[in-house]
Amino acid sequence: MDSDLLENAQTIIGYSFSDLPLLEMALTHASVASNRLDSNERLEFLGDAVLGLAVVHRLYDLQSDLLEGEMTKIKSSVVSRMTCAKIADAIGLCDLMSLGKGMSGQGKAPRSVSAAALEAIIGAIFVDGGLEPASEFIHRHVDPYIDEALENEHQDNFKSMLQQYAQRTFNSAPDYHL
């Protein structure tokens, strides 16, 4: 992969890698790698876990009134293949990918490739710089989806809406008397 492409990738991602071969690996699909260990699959696996951690941590910090089951539903929608693919497509990640001839000739990459690319980039940022820059990257792109999921989750949950209003307005949760 040429250095101009790697520079462009860092600009698009918003993170400068200390270890450029790590970025190159994150952008290498198994269809073009000499063997699967030289592809982005291991970074994708790691990135998926880091993404889940960052989303759950954000939900835990921001939403003290959510139960575990509610957080699980929101996490599932936010870290889904569809959401990851939307983010990857929005920032142009697939345009940076090295894909095999069968994959690159199809026009737009399949959602699974887009989602895997995003998770691989998250994994690469985590390996290169740690949890803080990986979380910053995640929150920059995922927080709008968290907000949307929270909004949709609370549309019919009037108790939760009341609790949030009370927290915001009176800085305390309501007391319930039966």
Side-chain angles (χ1 to χ4, degrees):
M1 198 173 283
D2 79 16
S3 60
D4 288 342
L5 183 68
L6 291 174
E7 280 300 317
N8 187 34
Q10 291 179 99
T11 301
I12 288 169
I13 294 164
Y15 177 80
S16 294
F17 281 82
S18 300
D19 183 1
L20 277 177
L22 192 60
L23 172 59
E24 186 171 4
M25 182 181 286
L27 295 172
T28 302
H29 188 264
S31 64
V32 75
S34 57
N35 70 64
R36 290 179 65 185
L37 289 174
D38 293 333
S39 76
N40 66 0
E41 290 179 348
R42 288 173 42 87
L43 288 170
E44 173 195 350
F45 175 77
L46 179 60
D48 178 56
V50 174
L51 174 61
L53 172 65
V55 168
V56 168
H57 190 225
R58 179 67 103 207
L59 288 171
Y60 185 85
D61 280 351
L62 294 179
Q63 300 293 318
S64 61
D65 63 322
L66 287 181
L67 297 172
E68 180 253 347
E70 294 168 312
M71 288 191 292
T72 298
K73 280 190 247 176
I74 293 168
K75 176 194 172 235
S76 293
S77 82
V78 172
V79 302
S80 70
R81 187 165 297 282
M82 182 180 290
T83 301
C84 289
K86 282 181 188 176
I87 294 167
D89 291 345
I91 63 176
L93 214 46
C94 283
D95 297 337
L96 305 170
M97 294 287 297
S98 292
L99 301 170
K101 288 184 179 149
M103 301 285 296
S104 56
Q106 296 178 354
K108 190 175 177 184
R111 287 209 173 274
S112 59
V113 172
S114 298
L118 181 73
E119 291 172 345
I121 289 297
I122 292 168
I125 294 171
F126 177 76
V127 170
D128 190 69
L131 186 58
E132 187 174 328
S135 292
E136 287 172 8
F137 174 82
I138 291 165
H139 294 306
R140 185 168 56 248
H141 298 289
V142 173
D143 279 1
Y145 292 95
I146 292 174
D147 294 341
E148 182 182 325
L150 285 167
E151 206 171 282
N152 292 338
E153 179 72 20
H154 291 315
Q155 280 181 343
D156 297 325
N157 188 341
F158 300 110
K159 180 180 175 186
S160 182
M161 290 170 63
L162 174 63
Q163 287 174 329
Q164 284 189 357
Y165 175 79
Q167 294 257 349
R168 223 180 10 258
T169 307
F170 307 112
N171 204 25
S172 81
D175 287 327
Y176 300 97
H177 301 277
L178 299 177

